Amino acid sequence: MTVTDTTATPAPVFGAPVLEASGVTMRFGGLLAVNDVNLTVHEGEIVGLIGPNGAGKTTFFNCLTGLYKPTAGQVRFAGTPLPPKPRAVVQAGMARTFQNIRLFANMTALENVMVGRYCRTSSGAFTSVLRGPKFRREEAATRTRAQELLDFVGLGRSTEHLARNMPYGDQRRLEIARALATEPKLILLDEPTAGMNPQETRQASDLIFKIRDSGLSVVVIEHDMRFIFNLCDRVLCLVRGETLIEGTPGEVQSDPRVIEAYIGTGEDEDEDEAAQVRDTTVAEEEGKS
Amino acid sequence: MSDDLTTPTRAHTMAWPLGLAGVALVIIGSFLSWSFDGGILGDLSINFYPGSLQILAIIMAVLGLVLLLVEKGPLKKPLGQWLDATLGLRALGLTLTLYMVLVLIAISVESDGLINVNPGGYISTVGAILLLVSSRMLPLRQLRDLSQARLPGWAEILAIALMMAAVLFGAAYALGLTDAWAFVLCLVFITAVIAVLFRTGVMRWFGHVAQRHKKVLTLAAFAVAFFFPFTQNGSDANMSIATQVLIFAATAMGLNIVVGLAGLLDLGYVAFLGSGAYVAAMLSTSAFATIDWHPPFLVVMLLGAGTAATLGLIIGSPTLRVSGDYLAIVTLGFGEIFRLTMFNLDGTNGPLLTNGPNGIPGIPELEIGSFNFGDSHVVAGIELGRFANYYFLLLLLLAFVILVFARLNDSRIGRGWVAIREDEKAAEAMGVNVFGLKILAFVVGAFLAGLAGTIKAHQDVAVSPDQFIFLESAFLLAAIVLGGMGTIAGVLLGATILKLLPEKLRFFSEYRLLLFGLLLVLMMRFRPEGLVASRRRQLEFHEEDEELAVAIESELVEEAK
């Protein structure tokens, strides 16, 4: 793959493909929500997924993570096909966050992350009742790791806070920490900055770089174009369930079809985004000339 | 209310002497005769020789006096800043008035008319009303945070011991009452004391103390339960009820894993108790036992529990894929199928295993090693009869069930269960084995019920299908809902209330179901999280309550320090 670098980040060298989705199609009755979408994510890569509302971004995510069983197509992870079961997907090393935050609201931040450790620990009913040294060790390790992850996302001081009491931005970060607790190789973030102010958005993008630097691959769905073009190594634009264009941020944002796709839907929100795409493009052009 | 907190008014200054007068009147009245008839309510007819009900009134009055002295007097300095004496007095005034009114009603019901009430009864009643009125006039005050109140370690442990001793003494005394009215009055007295402890904040302080000395508290609670048979002087009447309560509590605690921890609604749980009981009965040496193999009881226990667990697995694997209401319907059906199957395995409609509707009677006493559970023993000069033997065994069982419950709750598995209750889809997407954990809860619950069933068969002497009707499952569930889902203390309390009250209040028996129905409706309306609420359930039932969430969070942060 050739990378024509227009963003601030230096041209990174990517490793082997982690996720290979080919021909993913999802049909709900008469509605073709996702049609023949291909996506390959390499080690250490940040891939953006954009598109107007209803383009099928979240549906595509759900197909990747096993919440939906795709009507057609295949998802391969680290070379092996993934069964469409959420648990198997997590076990294989792919974790996600949700567009509408789905934390365990009445658990503390620490407990939320500890639940994320579930699939990487093994104490069963007998061990739990007998409380041998193995149980204690594992329990202590789970706690330590959860605390480390909270520190990592910057919530180290909110350990005992209830998830439902936390500010919105913190809840988003907690969800990321919970996903990281499952030791993924690839993390899928569904609108991680929705509802955030510019400062929180900047922090979120720093956090995603930090996650990438720790050796993970990232796929991000976002509507915030500045955020996406600044963050991603590659961007995939979906429109009405189909791939409109895939390429570097520079290629995508200068493509007239992307702007058209956003304006074409005629929704207010999307128009804003289209305007954002335009503005960013213009700014870039001016910067070049 | 707002002016209550500011400058003292005339009502405030009058309230204190008025309250004192009320207390004095209650005490004076209680030393005089309450009733003309000496044959009722344990003789309240002799002047200057108070009967037990009068002593209860005096105790409440003295409690009132102490609270008044905290309000204004020598006790104000050490205790005034911690204890909310005003709220305590209000609770006491209300319950004491209720108590005295019920005494008057009891006297007139038991011996034909108010004419039998002597002046002492009226004097005490007037005193109670005075206390009630004065407590309403007292001002509310600002208090300090009770979590800051600390005594030296030994004193706190002593407080736990005293509390537990009071529980033991109270339970033994209340159970000893044979007269229904006296029992009701005693309940009002207990309610009064508990209400005062809660309203003054003593209970909240005790909660903090219990948090600091968890092990001591657990030990003390079991010590109390252990010493209970020694207070009964070899009498079987109460010990029989106590063993029933223990079986019921152990079973409810098993169901608590399914309902309270995993959040699955099981309406056929009693079938697992039944399968354990039937296994024990069929393998016993009863003349009516249908299987000619009599292994030692420990083997029977494992077989009974294993059978129940297997049934749980068979029922659970297909049904746990459905959720909520559907699961309730399926388990309800399973309970009925179990009962009908036991009804029909009589040799005519099916193989001869259960003797059908006649059941298996004449199950002999348990024998473990050379210890026969039917024999009486004299320990420290006190006779311990058959029921006491079963009581100790059941206590051991209950301890085991509680241990399993508590340890599963506080583990990776317990966290998984909470996650499933909170958001099943998210839990699955985070790699929690949702289906496996549900099955686990179901099977562990069934296993523990089966274990209890094997003992129940011997203790009840007979096993028949009509012991395992739907109503029993409903009562088990009611005990959990009433006491507090997912808690240990709550479910024990709920089980005790649901099993003890019907036994003691036999004259209510016709209205029992009506009463429980009403009680549950009221609970659901006013306190859906149960009498003893677990934090988590409180949060779950009050999704909108921000204040509660903040309060609980600060407790969590406090504990983490």
Side-chain angles (χ1 to χ4, degrees), chain A residues 103-252:
Chain A
L103 285 166
F104 307 120
N106 297 321
M107 296 176 100
T108 65
L110 189 74
E111 285 169 334
N112 263 282
V113 184
M114 284 170 88
V115 170
R117 297 292 303 156
Y118 186 93
C119 62
R120 302 293 171 207
T121 44
S122 62
S123 299
F126 278 109
T127 352
S128 302
V129 173
L130 294 178
R131 302 259 143 138
K134 181 185 164 269
F135 174 86
R136 284 160 208 271
R137 259 202 309 278
E138 193 175 272
E139 212 43 26
T142 302
R143 194 167 284 272
T144 318
R145 181 72 189 132
Q147 183 64 53
E148 280 169 15
L149 284 167
L150 283 176
D151 291 336
F152 180 80
V153 298
L155 293 175
R157 275 194 256 165
S158 311
T159 312
E160 296 300 329
H161 289 214
L162 289 173
R164 71 187 233 184
N165 288 356
M166 294 170 89
Y168 194 76
D170 287 0
Q171 292 196 6
R172 290 254 173 232
R173 282 192 282 171
L174 179 55
E175 226 191 0
I176 293 176
R178 186 181 65 176
L180 288 175
T182 66
E183 289 176 22
K185 294 192 195 75
L186 170 68
I187 185 167
L188 304 159
L189 306 175
D190 199 342
E191 301 199 16
T193 69
M196 285 187 174
N197 63 32
Q199 195 204 340
E200 286 172 323
T201 306
R202 251 193 319 282
Q203 285 173 349
S205 109
D206 289 344
L207 177 60
I208 294 172
F209 280 129
K210 215 163 101 181
I211 291 170
R212 194 265 320 268
D213 292 342
S214 69
L216 273 70
S217 312
V218 184
V219 180
V220 196
I221 292 182
E222 251 312 329
H223 282 296
D224 185 332
M225 294 305 156
R226 266 183 215 103
F227 175 80
I228 271 281
F229 291 139
N230 175 38
L231 185 75
C232 299
D233 302 308
R234 204 148 46 83
V235 176
L236 177 72
C237 178
L238 288 186
V239 175
R240 272 177 241 106
E242 294 181 32
T243 310
L244 183 68
I245 178 176
E246 184 188 350
T248 62
E251 286 164 2
V252 172

Side-chain angles (χ1 to χ4, degrees), chain B residues 375-388:
Chain B
D375 296 342
S376 293
H377 302 268
V378 177
V379 178
I382 297 165
E383 191 193 345
L384 297 175
R386 164 179 193 269
F387 284 109

